[in-house]
Amino acid sequence: MSDFDTSAAPADVVRRQYLASAAGDLTALRATLAPDVEWTEMAGFPLAGTYRTPDGVTSNVMEQLGKDWTAHDDTYVVDGENVVVLARYTATNRATGKPVDVRVAHHFVVRGGLIVRFEQFVDTALVRAAMPT
């Protein structure tokens, strides 16, 4: 096990969350989330709303998005417990066959080595354009 695997540094915790999500490893993903996590998907996004608990986040968000979506994290801005990640969502909508390739910003708050809050910012019009009408 490497230092990265156990690091409580906010950026490392967030990066482990992205890696677990990309690998479909929901157990590892849940391990990055605080028991009282609040995870907010932006209004207008297909899974809009706030989800709580690691199981709630993985079953209502990650399992659903993992079927079609990939998030590619690329730039991290860290200020104490706050981590903002500039990323890109890529997917192809199964129903329409239309691709999605959109920039996104994710704001995480990490305390005690766990993600306690997440908020998504994305151009929902670009996402909706790929969805069935």
Side-chain angles (χ1 to χ4, degrees), residues 15 17-25 29 39 41 45-47 61-74 85-94 98-106 118 120 122 127:
R15 180 71 177 136
Q17 177 273 151
Y18 280 105
L19 292 172
S21 178
D25 186 345
L29 195 147
W39 189 279
E41 298 287 322
F45 193 71
L47 299 172
V61 179
M62 298 306 181
E63 287 181 23
Q64 305 310 310
L65 292 179
K67 295 174 185 173
D68 294 308
W69 295 76
T70 303
H72 308 277
D73 55 326
D74 56 43
V85 179
L86 304 178
R88 181 172 300 283
Y89 287 153
T90 58
T92 300
N93 186 284
R94 288 184 185 180
K98 293 179 183 178
V100 173
D101 186 350
V102 63
R103 293 291 285 165
V104 60
H106 292 157
F118 165 88
Q120 170 203 54
V122 64
V127 173

Side-chain angles (χ1 to χ4, degrees), residues 23 37 43 75 99 125 130:
V37 65
T75 303

Side-chain angles (χ1 to χ4, degrees), residues 96 98 128-129 131-133:
T96 65
K98 293 179 183 178
R128 290 282 178 195
M131 306 291 290
T133 55

